[in-house]
Amino acid sequence: MRATGSKIAAEGRGPVPTTTRPEHGRRPRAGAAGGSEQPAPSVNRAQLFTAESGDARLARQQRRAEKFQLRSDLRRFAKRKAVQLCGSRVCSSSGVGVRVTETASGRRAGFAGLSTCGSPWVCPVCASKVSASRAEDLSTVLNNVRAAGYDLAMVTLTVRHSAQDSLRDVWSAVSRGWGRVTSGKAWLDDKRRFEIPGWVKAVEVTHGKNGWHVHLHSVIAYRGTPADATALGQRIFGRWQAGLKATKKHKGFTALPGYGVDVSVSEQGDLGNLGRYLSKQGADLSGVSREVTQGAQKVARGGNRTPFQIARDLVAHGTAVDRAIFAEWQDVAPGHRQVSWAKGFREQFGVEVEATDEEIAAEETGTVDDTVCVLPAEEWQKVKHRSWELLDVAETRGSAGLLKWLDSWGVGWRPAPKRAEISR
């Protein structure tokens, strides 16, 4: 790892790699490009966590460093400029603010004034933040749905595919299939018969020897018995098959009975495949890191790899095959929604406003009052490649320890407003 030989490693903290914002403390970005930090209201997500032990803190910091390291390593393969600059470019005229916040779960450190890409598909850091936020919304809505007396059916839909099928073609077929499932007279009949107030779905994509595997995880709220859920699934599968057929503009696909649809009834507290998918992508604040650390060793079901596993292998080995696969992924995935809701369903059950991926990724730790110091743009260049270490020091040693660490490395800083009393 790149961190080997650093001061932190030498002090027994263990080797951990590179860069940027932590996972806690949801907050809109304070200040636009060329501006300065401004306070903004936020939802305190730290209230959702209990105080962490020292071992838990070290494990969290390790996961954060691994995600930042992969983001840094992927810059040379990224096609979008925003992804290349994510967590690296200074977008505030005042410089990069370093914040230290005391939360219910412990001390958290983060940066303000850095650009973010907001890509849940290509950037492991933004993917973790976005998935965590989406999972939080999902939990809120589905808990309220249960409280209103509805049942939950988990429905997973898949298509047959081959290595010759492009990602664009398979994804397009899946989108058309779902559109057929949730439209027309048959769907309206289902809504009345099963008293369906709405649904939420997520797209999961893996790649293996048979090419791109795109499948949908959905949760449908209804009233009835498990047998009713099975009947609903059978009706859905008929429309799913019809929606996969070829059109003048689109290649046709098929789904096998017994394999193309999987229906299960939610147990209390279980979000099914959709919840597990979001968790794997980062909703538990560690999922992406597991993808990173296990990389080539951990594979998706059936020997498939997730896009971040492919990215890990690309960084490690740089094969032409993985380069082509990841390039196709970058061409097709951006622009698609990670999670989609039936119209009005999310708002009806407790989440009135849905932030965009970019807004979630730009949320910063704490408030402007938590800013310990500001690093001018030229000073940020000295430390950006070890910024994960800066955050570790701030969380472990506090504000005074952070400033001493910056001095020891010759990094210039300015006292933040209301923090001028902290001396060197």
Side-chain angles (χ1 to χ4, degrees):
M1 297 183 189
R2 295 184 177 179
T4 302
S6 70
K7 286 192 175 182
I8 295 297
E11 293 170 2
R13 292 284 312 285
V16 197
T18 306
T19 314
T20 256
R21 288 191 187 97
E23 305 91 340
H24 298 290
R26 294 184 57 190
R27 175 171 304 277
R29 175 168 19 195
S36 60
E37 293 187 79
Q38 298 295 327
S42 70
V43 176
N44 184 7
R45 295 188 68 231
Q47 294 175 351
L48 302 176
F49 299 85
T50 58
E52 65 180 355
S53 66
D55 288 344
R57 183 187 69 245
L58 290 176
R60 174 178 56 78
Q61 290 172 343
Q62 175 76 36
R63 294 192 300 264
R64 176 173 62 195
E66 289 159 355
K67 285 180 286 187
F68 296 162
Q69 182 68 65
L70 180 58
R71 176 176 64 180
S72 177
D73 290 339
L74 283 175
R75 295 190 198 283
R76 68 183 186 274
F77 300 106
K79 292 188 174 185
R80 293 175 55 207
K81 194 72 172 178
V83 178
Q84 296 171 3
L85 297 175
C86 183
S88 175
R89 180 180 61 181
V90 179
C91 61
S92 171
S93 60
S94 62
V96 179
V98 183
R99 295 178 177 179
V100 178
T101 305
E102 298 294 338
T103 75
S105 56
R107 188 180 291 144
R108 296 289 184 269
F111 300 114
L114 291 176
S115 63
T116 52
C117 67
S119 173
W121 305 115
V122 181
C123 174
V125 176
C126 290
S128 180
K129 293 183 68 173
V130 171
S131 295
S133 178
R134 301 299 182 212
E136 184 182 336
D137 289 348
L138 178 67
S139 179
T140 296
V141 170
L142 297 189
N143 285 334
N144 289 337
V145 166
R146 283 197 183 94
Y150 289 95
D151 299 292
L152 298 175
M154 260 66 70
V155 181
T156 299
L157 295 164
T158 61
V159 302
R160 298 178 67 187
H161 58 90
S162 71
Q164 285 68 49
D165 295 318
S166 70
L167 175 59
R168 194 177 303 277
D169 283 343
V170 180
W171 206 322
S172 175
V174 167
S175 297
R176 297 196 315 273
W178 182 254
R180 184 65 174 268
V181 165
T182 56
S183 64
K185 183 177 181 299
W187 172 244
L188 294 177
D189 290 342
D190 284 348
K191 290 183 67 176
R192 287 190 293 268
R193 175 179 172 182
F194 299 101
E195 300 182 58
I196 297 173
W199 50 262
V200 55
K201 73 172 178 70
V203 178
E204 182 176 8
V205 184
T206 59
H207 187 278
K209 64 179 182 179
N210 293 321
W212 292 102
H213 181 48
V214 184
H215 47 291
L216 295 181
H217 299 308
S218 62
V219 178
I220 301 175
Y222 75 105
R223 295 188 194 273
T225 65
D228 291 326
T230 300
L232 174 61
Q234 291 173 344
R235 292 172 61 83
I236 284 175
F237 181 69
R239 298 197 296 277
W240 175 250
Q241 281 185 309
L244 299 176
K245 292 180 179 179
T247 69
K248 290 182 178 179
K249 296 183 179 180
H250 302 286
K251 180 178 180 178
F253 289 82
T254 60
L256 291 175
Y259 294 93
V261 62
D262 176 76
V263 180
S264 60
V265 178
S266 169
E267 299 295 335
Q268 187 169 1
D270 177 23
L271 302 182
N273 290 335
L274 189 148
R276 286 189 287 273
Y277 164 63
L278 285 177
S279 177
K280 182 168 60 177
Q281 293 301 306
D284 63 354
L285 307 183
S286 65
V288 168
S289 293
R290 286 200 300 272
E291 298 300 315
V292 172
T293 55
Q294 296 176 358
Q297 291 75 39
K298 180 180 180 296
V299 295
R301 288 185 301 174
N304 287 4
R305 292 180 295 168
T306 68
F308 283 119
Q309 288 170 347
I310 294 167
R312 169 77 173 183
D313 291 344
L314 176 60
V315 167
H317 307 295
T319 68
V321 171
D322 282 344
R323 186 184 290 268
I325 293 172
F326 197 66
E328 184 179 6
W329 174 250
Q330 291 188 79
D331 287 339
V332 178
H336 287 279
R337 292 177 61 84
Q338 184 187 40
V339 177
S340 301
W341 301 82
K343 185 176 181 180
F345 182 51
R346 186 189 71 247
E347 295 85 350
Q348 180 183 352
F349 291 99
V351 180
E352 295 184 2
V353 178
E354 183 182 37
T356 65
D357 294 341
E358 291 76 15
E359 289 170 342
I360 294 169
E363 292 170 353
E364 294 168 340
T365 297
T367 71
V368 66
D369 291 338
D370 296 315
T371 304
V372 174
C373 63
V374 176
L375 308 180
E378 62 274 13
E379 298 300 319
W380 170 249
Q381 298 303 315
K382 299 177 182 179
V383 76
K384 69 177 183 179
H385 297 300
R386 62 187 313 121
S387 55
W388 62 269
E389 187 175 345
L390 187 157
L391 297 180
D392 288 357
V393 170
E395 292 176 348
T396 304
R397 305 182 194 174
S399 301
L402 165 66
L403 298 181
K404 290 180 180 178
W405 183 87
L406 290 172
D407 287 343
S408 72
W409 284 101
V411 179
W413 53 272
R414 296 194 305 268
K418 299 184 181 181
R419 292 279 185 154
E421 70 277 7
I422 301 178
S423 65
R424 296 172 186 259

